[in-house]
Amino acid sequence: MFVPGFDRQEFSVATTDGHMFRLLEPVTFTRVDGTKILLPAGTESDGASVPRQLWASLPPFGDHWKSAFLHDAAYRLKTRPVIGSKQECDDLFAESLEACKVPDIERHILYQGVVIFGEPAYLAARMKA
């Protein structure tokens, strides 16, 4: 039997600017159906894209940080297996938020944020891939 979630409590990361973080070792997320999503070493994330005005109540690096890392990697096609559509990436984010036990209201706000406002980031990431 497997437990959905990440294979480690803490991510080993490095940053040169305090904004963009890079994984120093691979991380695996196991989905509720047992599928394993690999984030290779070198995968980058800037945390959750939360407007600065909301940082007091929803900072970019809260309990949801690991999920934001996974979501950024999915948008950039850096996961194995590759997650294709924007909806699939956003649904993976929601699943990860739940596995990380992010509170319901925070999970809802973060998910709706990527659904409503994530299209430009998704398209930009796919054009670079």
Side-chain angles (χ1 to χ4, degrees), residues 43-121:
T43 299
E44 293 183 322
S45 176
D46 60 355
S49 299
V50 176
R52 187 175 292 276
Q53 303 88 325
L54 300 178
W55 283 9
S57 57
L58 193 59
F61 299 101
D63 293 339
H64 51 273
W65 185 69
K66 292 189 287 189
S67 298
F69 223 109
L70 177 63
H71 188 249
D72 284 354
Y75 267 22
R76 295 178 185 134
L77 296 172
K78 300 292 184 189
T79 59
R80 301 290 181 265
V82 172
I83 306 299
S85 72
K86 179 183 176 304
Q87 171 135 16
E88 289 173 319
C89 295
D90 295 349
D91 290 349
L92 175 63
F93 181 55
E95 186 178 325
S96 174
L97 290 167
E98 187 168 351
C100 290
K101 299 181 180 11
V102 172
D104 290 345
I105 188 70
E106 185 177 332
R107 200 165 67 230
H108 177 75
I109 291 167
L110 289 164
Y111 178 73
Q112 288 305 312
V114 298
V115 167
I116 295 167
F117 301 109
E119 187 78 16

